[in-house]
Amino acid sequence: RILPGVTRAILLDLCARLSIPVSEQAFSKDALFSADEVLVTSSTLGVRRTEMVDGTAVGGRDATRFQRILDAYDRLFAEEMTV
């Protein structure tokens, strides 16, 4: 189940601005293990990369893409904190 969180909405907007495709859908473990990136969002922790699921490595196939997302999120958060 995907919860409609604030940080998730921000992440989706940032990815759209950066032209980074996002897929939100029900998926099998096989699909999870073959995903380019697996991210988790949280209001308290921001955006985090998921690296392991059930002892198996996931995501991490495009470090540059994740860094672009993280940099954009950090810039936005910094801007909001200075208002």
Side-chain angles (χ1 to χ4, degrees):
R1 187 173 134 195
I2 299 172
L3 299 176
V6 173
T7 305
R8 177 187 148 273
I10 291 168
L11 178 73
L12 292 174
D13 182 61
L14 289 174
C15 286
R17 290 184 199 184
L18 296 168
S19 298
I20 295 174
V22 174
S23 176
E24 291 185 295
Q25 61 192 31
F27 51 85
S28 66
K29 274 191 177 181
D30 288 339
L32 176 67
F33 295 143
S34 66
D36 291 337
E37 289 293 343
V38 179
L39 305 178
V40 175
T41 61
S42 163
S43 292
T44 55
L45 298 175
V47 180
R48 295 289 182 255
R49 174 186 267 163
T50 302
E51 296 178 353
M52 300 283 283
V53 173
D54 291 342
T56 301
V58 297
R61 290 175 177 72
D62 190 342
T64 303
R65 184 182 298 171
F66 176 70
Q67 194 60 53
R68 287 176 55 214
I69 294 168
L70 191 57
D71 290 346
Y73 180 83
D74 288 345
R75 277 192 307 273
L76 181 64
F77 189 77
E79 289 170 8
E80 292 295 320
M81 295 305 288
T82 60
V83 172

